[in-house]
């Protein structure tokens, strides 16, 4: 394991094999170029079965990740903290006697953006954050560093389908609002009660499938010539406005 990365990188065939069996959250597997033989072949097959993202790379990259350790052609990157289920987030709100307040991140790829979002979420009392399993950054060390301790207090869930999650939340009486340029003014929108705010990725924004499923679309008024905000900045403004309407003082 790499000490400088707080054991986020686990390498070596036996260590990686045991990590796969343990059920620990794995963000990505880095593996030597094929062909694969023996235990490495079984490790790669198991990772594919578990739908863990696999990146084929050269020995130089593997040596860098393992910091010179005996990696035997395979390294896995584990989450900085364990993920929870969405049900755990809703239970947290129930235990506090508060209407659920969630933030959903669709395809946020910049670890600094996600870290900043988590930090703000903790500050305003969001009960939990949900991230996408695909095409998005996970709870890496860079995310943890930017979050500046927020990961110790904000539960994070990971789901395969944001669109399905939105449908499930609506069935439970939780309103969903996504941020997009053509939405209604955030300051003229009722954000009280059970709520899930949906933030799109840095490049594509909210996907059409998710947008169509949300109860309403909100936007931030723009006075200048620049027509968009950084994802973490936009998320922060939206969270604070929702928190203000919910009685945050």
């Amino acid at each position: 394991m790499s000490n400088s990365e707080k054991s986020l990188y686990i390498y070596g065939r036996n260590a990686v094999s045991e990590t796969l069996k343990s059920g620990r959250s794995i963000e990505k597997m880095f593996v030597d170029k094929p062909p694969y033989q023996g235990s490495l072949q079984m490790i790669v097959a198991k990772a594919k079965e578990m739908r863990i993202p696999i990146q084929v790379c050269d020995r130089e990259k593997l040596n860098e990740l393992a910091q010179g350790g005996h990696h035997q052609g395979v390294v896995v990157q584990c989450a900085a903290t364990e993920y929870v289920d969405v049900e755990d987030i809703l239970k947290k709100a129930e235990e506090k006697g508060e209407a659920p307040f969630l933030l959903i991140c669709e395809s946020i790829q910049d670890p600094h953006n996600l870290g900043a979002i988590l930090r703000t979420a903790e500050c305003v009392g969001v009960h939990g954050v949900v991230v996408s399993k695909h095409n998005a950054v996970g709870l890496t060390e860079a995310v943890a560093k930017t979050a500046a301790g927020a990961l110790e207090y904000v539960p994070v869930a990971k789901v395969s389908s944001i669109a399905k999650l939105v449908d499930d939340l609506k069935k439970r009486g939780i309103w969903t609002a996504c941020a997009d340029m053509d939405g209604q003014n955030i300051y003229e929108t009722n954000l009280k009660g059970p709520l899930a705010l949906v933030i799109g990725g840095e490049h594509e924004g909210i996907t059409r499938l998710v947008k169509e499923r949300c109860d309403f679309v909100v936007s931030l008024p723009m006075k200048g010539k620049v027509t968009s905000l950084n994802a973490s900045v936009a998320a922060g403004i939206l969270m604070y406005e929702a928190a203000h309407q919910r009685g945050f003082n």
Side-chain angles (χ1 to χ4, degrees):
M1 297 185 186
S2 167
N3 293 328
S4 66
E5 291 296 332
K6 297 182 180 178
S7 300
L8 285 180
Y9 289 96
I10 297 174
Y11 54 83
R13 298 187 185 186
N14 287 338
V16 168
S17 181
E18 290 303 318
T19 302
L20 291 172
K21 294 176 185 176
S22 72
R24 182 173 179 177
S25 298
I26 297 176
E27 299 292 347
K28 183 182 291 188
M29 174 178 286
F30 301 87
V31 66
D32 206 353
K33 297 176 182 178
Y36 306 123
Q37 297 179 343
S39 60
L40 186 55
Q41 184 178 22
M42 291 187 287
I43 287 171
V44 172
K46 182 63 175 178
K48 289 181 178 178
E49 180 185 326
M50 296 172 66
R51 303 190 68 180
I52 295 170
I54 299 174
Q55 179 178 328
V56 176
C57 51
D58 55 29
R59 284 269 164 170
E60 185 178 349
K61 176 65 175 180
L62 292 171
N63 290 337
E64 177 187 340
L65 293 173
Q67 294 195 331
H70 189 43
H71 53 71
Q72 299 174 294
V74 62
V75 179
V76 289
Q77 181 184 14
C78 297
T81 188
E82 289 298 308
Y83 293 98
V84 303
D85 293 327
V86 174
E87 192 64 37
D88 295 322
I89 296 175
L90 299 178
K91 185 177 180 181
K92 179 182 177 181
E94 182 181 356
E95 290 173 348
K96 287 189 170 185
E98 299 172 349
F101 184 17
L102 287 74
L103 183 75
I104 301 172
C105 298
E106 185 187 18
S107 301
I108 295 292
Q109 298 178 350
D110 187 326
H112 299 97
N113 273 340
L114 181 57
I117 287 171
L118 289 168
R119 189 172 182 177
T120 304
E122 198 282 324
C123 290
V124 302
V126 167
H127 295 117
V129 175
V130 184
V131 298
S132 175
K133 187 173 183 179
H134 306 291
N135 196 33
V137 66
L139 297 181
T140 64
E141 179 68 7
V143 171
K145 286 180 178 178
T146 307
L151 272 178
E152 300 297 322
Y153 307 103
V154 179
V156 180
K158 179 186 277 190
V159 298
S160 298
S161 171
I162 298 296
K164 182 179 183 302
L165 171 64
V166 169
D167 285 340
D168 291 343
L169 292 177
K170 289 168 68 175
K171 292 175 183 177
R172 304 187 67 152
I174 299 173
W175 292 90
T176 54
C178 67
D180 202 25
M181 290 176 59
D182 61 355
Q184 61 193 59
N185 191 318
I186 184 70
Y187 301 114
E188 298 173 356
T189 306
N190 185 348
L191 299 175
K192 299 176 183 178
L195 177 70
L197 292 172
V198 187
I199 305 296
E202 296 92 346
H203 307 295
E204 303 298 330
I206 296 288
T207 60
R208 179 184 57 81
L209 194 61
V210 171
K211 184 177 178 180
E212 289 175 349
R213 281 168 163 73
C214 287
D215 293 302
F216 49 97
V217 183
V218 297
S219 65
L220 295 169
M222 299 285 181
K223 190 174 182 180
K225 299 186 182 300
V226 177
T227 58
S228 64
L229 290 171
N230 170 277
S232 63
V233 173
I237 296 172
L238 292 170
M239 282 188 280
Y240 260 97
E241 175 57 23
H244 169 70
Q245 291 190 26
R246 295 164 62 91
F248 181 78
N249 191 339

